[in-house]
Amino acid sequence: MAAYSFGWCEVGGAPAVASGGKGVRQALAVLGAEAAGAPERAGVAAAVAVELVHTFSLLHDDIMDGDGDRRGRPTVWKAYGTGPAVLAGDALFALAVETLAAQPGGAEAVRTLSVALGDLVRGQADDLLFADRPWTGPQRVRPDEYRAMAEHKTGALLGCAAALGAVLGGAGPETVAALDRTGRHLGVAFQIVDDVLGIWGDPRVTGKPVHGDLREGKKTFPVLVALDSPGGGRIADLLESGGAPETAASLIEEAGGRSAALAEARRHITAVEAALADLPSTTRAADELRSLLDYLVRRDV
């Protein structure tokens, strides 16, 4: 099941070549070690650990969200059953902790991972709760709540990846904290850009149907901002009734949801640049981190 989740085999074990994802967290871990002035190889254990944790989180997320496909293949719970998929995820998490604990500086690395996991669980819990909250009224989801959720669910593990590489590379607390901030802001920016693409992105580029997030009723950042506008009532009515998503997309854009989301993403990109400026004189690592920023969030929106 673990090999299948990484795309290394088909159900039952036959060899396969499938997409293993972008490798962003592994890259951040190696760059974190470089930013600490250590050799790249110092970040390899951190890269392995965060990828194990990331895959563990995906296995559980797919079950919670009821998703039947990931990267063009059945999800693990669909292929093997819910109980086995939960256990496979637990095993990956345990292996991640073991991988870090075996390294010099492993105790601090495990503590860093534990903090990030606590945040990740909190973010995932908030995301699940958002789905059941109303579009209007005092119980509606506010944009600031969404920011916190995105930092925890998406940013915490990105920040942890970079910070873990630095910890295992022997960095001081200031460098570790700067890299953690970098990843957290990067995660929020990535999530909000993804929200914009989920409504207005080109399906030929995103691989998702046009207005897909609106059809699914997702409470994304552009929608939440638009709901707080004078035209928010009409937008809420459309979303509650499952009305024409193309009309809702136009109203959300007219209400400033798209422009506000892009401005918010730019604010977090600026925060990433500020965090990178706090790193010691490791220009190569910082330049590579900026390239990663371009790859993740400066997309065609």
Side-chain angles (χ1 to χ4, degrees):
M1 286 184 287
Y4 177 80
S5 69
F6 286 114
W8 299 340
C9 71
E10 301 293 354
V11 176
V17 178
S19 171
K22 301 178 180 69
V24 171
R25 291 159 191 82
Q26 301 99 298
L28 283 170
V30 171
L31 289 172
E34 282 193 70
E40 294 175 346
R41 63 181 177 274
V44 170
V48 170
V50 293
E51 185 60 16
L52 289 167
V53 167
H54 177 54
T55 305
F56 140 74
S57 73
L58 294 181
L59 264 61
H60 287 200
D61 282 357
D62 287 339
I63 294 168
M64 286 183 281
D65 296 340
D67 290 338
D69 293 286
R70 178 174 290 280
R71 297 172 187 151
R73 303 198 307 165
T75 50
V76 175
W77 74 271
K78 270 290 188 181
Y80 290 94
T82 302
V86 170
L87 289 174
D90 293 345
L92 293 174
F93 169 64
L95 186 57
V97 174
E98 180 184 348
T99 298
L100 290 178
Q103 304 301 311
E108 181 61 29
V110 170
R111 280 193 292 270
T112 301
L113 178 65
S114 296
V115 170
L117 280 173
D119 283 347
L120 188 154
V121 170
R122 178 181 173 186
Q124 177 67 14
D126 285 342
D127 196 29
L128 289 173
L129 291 170
F130 287 176
D132 294 326
R133 287 170 61 179
W135 291 106
T136 60
Q139 295 303 312
R140 72 185 186 276
V141 181
R142 307 283 183 164
D144 60 335
E145 294 179 279
Y146 183 91
R147 290 186 195 95
M149 180 278 293
E151 179 189 333
H152 293 141
K153 182 180 177 182
T154 306
L157 198 55
L158 291 176
C160 175
L164 278 178
V167 168
L168 295 183
E174 296 84 4
T175 298
V176 172
L179 287 165
D180 182 63
R181 287 196 306 275
T182 296
R184 285 174 180 265
H185 284 294
L186 178 60
V188 179
F190 172 81
Q191 187 62 62
I192 291 175
V193 169
D194 212 47
D195 289 348
V196 173
L197 293 172
I199 299 176
W200 296 285
D202 184 344
R204 294 170 297 180
V205 177
T206 65
K208 301 176 182 178
V210 66
H211 306 142
D213 283 358
L214 294 177
R215 295 178 195 279
E216 295 177 25
K218 290 185 178 180
K219 293 182 175 71
T220 58
F221 192 83
V223 177
L224 298 177
V225 171
L227 288 172
D228 280 341
S229 73
R234 186 181 175 194
I235 296 169
D237 290 342
L238 268 175
L239 295 171
E240 287 171 350
S241 66
E246 60 274 9
T247 303
S250 295
L251 291 174
I252 291 165
E253 186 162 12
E254 290 171 13
R258 181 174 184 169
S259 60
L262 293 175
E264 182 71 13
R266 284 192 291 270
R267 187 175 73 82
H268 286 280
I269 291 170
T270 299
V272 169
E273 294 284 2
L276 290 176
D278 288 338
L279 293 176
S281 55
T282 51
T283 53
R284 181 178 180 276
D287 287 346
E288 292 284 355
L289 285 164
R290 289 186 182 93
S291 296
L292 192 59
L293 175 67
D294 288 338
Y295 170 66
L296 283 177
V297 300
R298 288 179 175 144
R299 292 177 279 173
D300 185 10
V301 294

